[in-house]
């Protein structure tokens, strides 16, 4: 139990519960709940059936309505035993239950419960709570509290549930491979449990990043021991109640979710005294790290920065980085802001691989050393601006917020700063962005005081400092015999990551290095590496279980590859996620693939992500939702990656994604150049699924394209009218959501200008002034209400 108790106290375990867990609990009639074959005997007796048949077969012999009525009566209104109630005094990642009873509802009915449960059944869509005090409880066989979803008892019901591929079955099977579980009250003979556990077969011990998985059983025998061995479970012989009592005593005292976030006591007490909602504090500190030089987090799977990896706090505090000239400029900027207060935004921008992230980490640490209140955005999901505003508005000292890839969060940053500005709360935002994405951020946040600071190739001093670092850490390889000034001269003015490769590997081209790296791997290891690279090239890590499924390799072989073949070039960012050592490396890997390989990798990854994406997760901006959006993007990914096979790609993934409005948006953009009518139909279909600013803007774009190619005045006018209606709705909806972007304005102006040109080519008839007036009004909104910097450009386009 050396690893188990610390992991329990840290809230790292999930639960899988069977009927044995409820064995000492009672229903509304004060009758103990049945376990094992007892329920089968009760059904046989109730419906006058032979009792020699198993539960699933007996359940199939009773009418659905009669069986449901019996089950609801038998398993409702439960009172949990005192030992079962202990469940609610732990912090769990997730709880899965095979039971249909409402025992867990009673367990969590006390205000003293450490978490608030969200009860779901196998038919509900995937979700993950925003608040660490919330926990998902998934009833895999149905629940007496959600009878409309039905139960899974009979053989046909097992078969139907399996064939339907319900999300929570897939998610449980995935999580069993990547997270530590306590399996309690199960026999391991349940048909679906064995199917879920099958993916654990042959998992090596090192695959468990935090703690081992346990199987708790009242009686252990050789059969169960062998089953545990097969599935990589540690067998524990104990009754459910006795085990819960033991871990309760062994792990006391335990921390609540807010305590586990490691919020500094002085900050927490100040916020609580100021009356800030507990939920806001929890959500904020789950996303933001308070930077303190004495309490920097340690990397789970550290990769040396000087090997060309992404930065980590370990590497920065260890002095592996070269302190760039821009860092001192940033610090000077922050010190100046302290004197004038207000809202200030500085964005560090450069091309890929110049060291933006590393400079951001270093600037954050140096500012923290100067006793500045620094918060670093540390998760890969969408920023929750509402809760952040509640916390930041009540801090003792004005905060500095540090956000890498800030353009990804532009609408949320704009909303956060607007909320702080309304309350006269000063705030300094330090972000980093690739040059190509900077315009997007500027268009949304132009209302605020924006400054850019550039990070270019290494200066003479920085080049020499990098060589000195590489030598000090023993990473010069074949170049170790050369003098520092000579090596520094070779890498001067080059991007940081390319300089590290050239100086340490003695290779002048990335592609040469990576081709050699790939060729040294087995085909299966190459397949896994390519999937990781594809995800990271989109700027996101990939969930290990999704990677496993996408690779189509057995779990045991997959984990061997991950922990041996790919060690050092693929690393864990959290116990659940991995990425390549650097995004630029990932982009080069993807670039090196032939079109057939890119197509295969794209299809496999997008299909494997599907169970984790729905409207709720898209709104949350989970890593999987964001990744799927980027991988399905026609302009940025599909067209440049797979070219002529784009139509084939969208058709192949259609069964899993046709519910998704973005899927139809991208398909419409694909058809735009060859079949405008089809593009309009698909764009309207996307709006029909979800009327959203993005779908409406895409519809407007497609309609303007139709106007541009129309062959009659009436066709042009009809298309422009419909397009402007869509733009109006997009702008109105964006305003309501407080997520205004320049895109619909740009589409409207350029669309009308191009339609006007086509109109003029059809004859002498003047272009309707109502369209010009309409667009003029749209530009005024951009100028007056939103203050978009690009409004001047749009007006000049219209004037011309």
């Amino acid at each position: 139990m050396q690893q188990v108790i610390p992991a329990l106290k840290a809230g790292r375990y999930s639960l899988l519960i069977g009927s044995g867990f409820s064995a000492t609990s009672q229903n509304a009639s004060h009758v103990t709940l049945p376990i094992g074959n007892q329920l089968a005997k009760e059904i046989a007796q109730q419906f006058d059936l032979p009792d020699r048949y198993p539960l699933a077969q007996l359940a199939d012999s009773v009418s659905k309505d009669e069986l449901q009525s019996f089950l609801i009566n038998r398993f409702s209104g439960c009172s949990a035993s005192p030992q079962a109630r202990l469940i609610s005094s732990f912090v769990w990642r997730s709880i899965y239950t095979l039971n249909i009873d409402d025992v867990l509802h009673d367990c969590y009915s006390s205000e003293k419960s450490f978490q608030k449960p969200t009860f779901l059944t196998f038919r509900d869509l995937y979700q993950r709570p925003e608040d660490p005090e919330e926990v998902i409880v998934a009833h895999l066989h149905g629940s007496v509290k959600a009878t409309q979803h039905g139960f899974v008892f009979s053989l046909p019901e097992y078969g139907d549930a399996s064939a339907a591929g319900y999300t929570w079955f897939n998610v449980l099977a995935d999580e069993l491979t990547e997270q530590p579980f306590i399996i309690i009250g199960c026999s391991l003979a349940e048909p679906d449990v064995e199917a879920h556990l099958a993916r654990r077969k042959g998992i090596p011990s090192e695959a468990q990043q935090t703690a081992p998985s346990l199987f708790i059983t009242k009686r252990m025998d050789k059969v169960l021991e062998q089953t545990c061995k097969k599935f990589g479970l540690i067998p524990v012989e104990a009754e459910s109640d006795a085990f819960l009592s033991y871990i309760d005593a062994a792990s006391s005292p335990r921390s609540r979710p807010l305590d586990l976030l490691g919020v500094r006591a002085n900050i927490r007490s100040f916020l609580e005294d100021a009356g800030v909602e507990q939920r806001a504090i929890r959500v904020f500190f789950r996303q933001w790290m308070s930077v303190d030089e004495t309490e920097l987090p340690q990397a789970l799977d550290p990769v040396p920065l000087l090997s060309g990896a992404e930065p980590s706090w370990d590497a920065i505090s260890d002095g592996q980085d070269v302190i760039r000239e821009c860092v001192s400029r940033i610090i000077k900027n922050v010190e100046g802001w302290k004197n004038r207060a207000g809202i200030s935004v500085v964005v560090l921008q450069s091309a890929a691989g110049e060291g933006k992230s590393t400079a951001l980490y270093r600037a954050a640490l140096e500012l923290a050393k100067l006793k500045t209140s620094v918060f670093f955005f540390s998760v890969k999901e969408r920023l929750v601006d509402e809760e952040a505003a509640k916390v930041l508005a009540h801090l003792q000292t004005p905060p500095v917020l540090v956000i890498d890839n800030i353009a990804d969060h532009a609408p949320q940053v704009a909303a956060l700063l607007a909320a702080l500005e309304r309350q006269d709360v000063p705030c300094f935002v330090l972000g980093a962005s690739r040059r190509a994405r900077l315009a997007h951020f500027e268009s949304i946040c132009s209302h605020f005081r924006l400054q850019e600071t550039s990070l270019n190739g290494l200066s003479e001093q920085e080049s020499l400092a990098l060589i000195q670092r590489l030598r000090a850490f023993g990473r010069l390889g074949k170049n170790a015999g050369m003098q520092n000034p000579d090596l520094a001269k070779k890498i001067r003015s080059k991007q940081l990551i390319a300089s590290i490769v050239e100086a340490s590997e003695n290779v002048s081209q990335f592609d040469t290095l990576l081709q050699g790296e790939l060729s040294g791997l087995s085909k299966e290891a190459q397949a896994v590496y390519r999937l990781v690279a594809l995800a990271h090239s989109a700027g996101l890590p990939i969930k290990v279980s999704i990677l496993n499924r996408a690779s189509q390799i057995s779990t045991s072989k997959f984990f061997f590859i991950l922990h041996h073949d790919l060690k050092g070039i693929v690393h864990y960012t959290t116990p659940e996620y991995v990425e390549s050592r650097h995004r630029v490396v990932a982009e080069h890997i993807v670039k090196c693939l032939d079109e057939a390989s890119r197509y295969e990798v794209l299809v496999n990854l997008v299909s494997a992500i599907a169970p984790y994406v729905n409207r709720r997760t898209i709104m949350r901006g989970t890593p999987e939702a964001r990744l799927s959006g980027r991988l399905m993007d026609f302009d940025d990914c599909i067209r440049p990656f797979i070219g002529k096979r784009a139509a084939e790609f969208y058709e192949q993934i259609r069964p899993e994604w046709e519910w998704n409005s973005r899927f139809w948006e991208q398909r419409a953009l694909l058809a735009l150049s060859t079949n405008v009518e089809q593009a309009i139909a698909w764009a309207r279909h996307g709006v029909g699924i979800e009327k959203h600013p993005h779908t409406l803007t895409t519809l407007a774009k497609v309609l303007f394209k139709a106007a541009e190619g129309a062959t009659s005045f009436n066709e042009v006018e009809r298309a422009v009218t419909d397009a402007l209606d869509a733009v109006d709705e997009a702008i109105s909806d964006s305003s309501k959501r407080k997520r205004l972007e320049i895109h619909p304005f740009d589409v409207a102006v350029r669309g009308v200008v191009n339609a006007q040109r086509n109109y003029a080519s059809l004859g002498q008839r003047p272009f309707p002034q109502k369209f010009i007036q309409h667009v003029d009004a749209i530009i005024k909104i951009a100028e007056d209400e939103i203050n978009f910097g690009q409004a001047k450009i749009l007006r000049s386009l219209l004037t011309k």
Side-chain angles (χ1 to χ4, degrees), residues 51 68 116 209 225 239 437 488 496 512 516 526 609 628 707 740 784:
D51 63 4
Q68 183 162 304
K116 298 180 180 72
Q209 287 294 306
E225 284 177 357
E239 289 188 339
R437 295 275 291 156
L496 179 62
T512 306
Q526 286 182 26
I609 293 170
S628 67
L740 284 161
D784 302 337

Side-chain angles (χ1 to χ4, degrees), residues 507-519 588 592:
V507 176
S508 60
Q509 293 295 325
F510 245 138
D511 294 349
T512 306
L513 170 67
L514 297 178
Q515 286 288 13
E517 196 170 77
L518 272 172
S519 64
H588 278 261
C592 290

